């Protein structure tokens, strides 16, 4: 019961989320829970599948997508009450998992994420009707000023979706098979990035904020907040999981070229939260 209340956001936290477009919750997952998740990474990063995106140099893993459907520990995380309950609270309805990704941001090698908003990708590529969707990030490593932390422009979500022109991002010499069109949403050159002038204007208006958070922290952020992260030149990895929960009242409309299921789930069943200790249980029967 005490746990249950801890996993609900307080009025003040909801207020912060609404005002700033994000809220950081520290000490959500224990060292043992983080360890259990981190142990999964080498195996997942070694799997050569379309779910895996490499950095531009073609060697280091940048992201893996959709592994909550295949990896039991990450499936459990995606159904953890520490994520699911705040998502339901913020969206005011039942939720389903829209997207699941692990961003590796490896020591010395992790590349930038240019300034962008998330909702524009989901609206233009996936037909998502409204921004009634929330990102919940879990830090698997400490995130600090050295290892490519997330930068926010606090309050910028209140601008709504900024309708920027799509950038030409893919390498012309590569075939569709080598570099599918959706890839440009996940490489360092993003399709809907914001130009420098726009970022300058938004920063003069709202300022900037750099996230500093120990491993095990949870960061909730709005799909319209302008954010970015610099490259990681430090010797410290900065892995995060980002689970995106969508309201079941905000199902995407049909689009001509739907992106793969591992990027945009069309499994609309509401998520049922597991117990708060689920990451540490040895043999959990999932259904
Ligand atoms: C990051 O992992 O630093 C950025 C992720 C994002 O833009 O969603
Ligand atoms: Mn983003």
């Amino acid at each position: 019961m005490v746990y249950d209340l801890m996993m609900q956001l307080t009025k003040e936290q909801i207020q912060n989320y609404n005002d700033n477009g994000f809220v950081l919750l520290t000490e959500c997952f224990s060292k043992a829970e983080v360890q259990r998740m981190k142990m999964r990474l080498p195996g997942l990063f070694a799997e050569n599948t379309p779910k895996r995106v490499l950095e531009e140099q073609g060697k280091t893993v940048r992201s893996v997508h959709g592994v909550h459907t295949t990896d039991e520990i990450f499936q459990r995380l995606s159904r953890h009450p520490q994520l699911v309950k705040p998502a339901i609270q913020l969206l005011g309805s039942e939720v389903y998992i829209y997207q699941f990704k692990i961003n590796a941001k490896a020591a010395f090698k992790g590349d930038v994420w240019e300034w962008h908003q998330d909702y524009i990708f989901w609206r233009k590529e996936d037909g998502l009707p409204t921004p009634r969707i929330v990102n919940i990030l879990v830090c698997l490593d400490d995130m600090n000023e050295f290892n490519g932390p997330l930068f926010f422009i606090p309050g910028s979500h209140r601008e709504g979706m900024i309708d920027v022109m799509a950038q030409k991002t893919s390498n012309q010499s590569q075939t569709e098979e080598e570099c599918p069109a959706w890839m440009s949403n996940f490489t360092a050159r993003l399709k809907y990035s914001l130009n420098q002038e726009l970022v300058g204007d938004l920063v003069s208006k709202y300022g900037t904020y750099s996230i500093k958070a120990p491993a095990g922290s949870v960061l909730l952020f709005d799909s319209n907040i302008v954010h970015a992260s610099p490259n990681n030149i430090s010797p410290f990895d900065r892995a995060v999981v980002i689970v995106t929960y969508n309201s079941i009242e905000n199902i995407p409309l049909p689009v001509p070229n739907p992106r793969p299921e591992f990027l945009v789930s069309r499994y609309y069943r509401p998520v049922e939260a597991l117990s708060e200790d689920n990451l540490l249980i040895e043999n959990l029967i999932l259904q």
Side-chain angles (χ1 to χ4, degrees), residues 108-227:
F108 297 114
K109 304 280 197 271
D111 210 346
V112 305
W113 288 84
E114 295 180 322
W115 288 103
H116 68 283
Q117 297 175 303
D118 288 337
Y119 178 58
I120 187 167
F121 291 88
W122 300 333
R123 168 134 197 149
K124 302 227 169 190
E125 311 283 308
D126 309 330
L128 190 67
T130 77
R132 194 172 165 193
I133 186 164
V134 60
N135 285 311
I136 306 195
L137 178 153
V138 179
C139 292
L140 299 185
D141 294 301
D142 294 346
M143 184 185 281
N144 56 39
E145 58 272 54
F146 305 110
N147 63 354
L150 213 63
F151 291 167
F152 284 130
I153 302 185
S156 56
H157 63 301
R158 289 186 251 125
E159 300 283 323
M161 188 188 96
I162 304 167
D163 200 358
V164 296
M165 295 252 290
Q167 310 283 323
K168 190 109 201 83
T169 48
S170 63
N171 182 337
Q172 299 299 303
S173 61
Q174 287 179 305
T175 63
E176 172 66 21
E177 200 167 287
E178 283 164 344
C179 185
W182 56 260
M183 193 73 97
S184 63
N185 302 340
F186 298 101
T187 55
R189 308 299 140 236
L190 287 176
K191 186 166 176 184
Y192 299 105
S193 58
L194 270 61
N195 68 39
Q196 294 176 358
E197 198 187 343
L198 201 46
V199 173
D201 290 347
L202 289 167
V203 170
S204 331
K205 188 166 169 188
Y206 295 108
T208 44
Y209 190 87
S210 171
I211 297 291
K212 193 165 176 158
S217 300
V218 166
L219 175 68
L220 299 94
F221 62 101
D222 189 283
S223 63
N224 270 327
I225 193 167
V226 177
H227 60 287

Side-chain angles (χ1 to χ4, degrees), residues 1-18:
M1 192 59 190
V2 175
Y3 264 121
D4 204 51
L5 284 173
M6 275 167 64
M7 286 170 186
Q8 301 280 341
L9 298 174
T10 62
K11 274 200 182 121
E12 197 186 358
Q13 287 166 334
I14 294 175
Q15 185 75 40
N16 277 341
Y17 179 85
N18 290 333

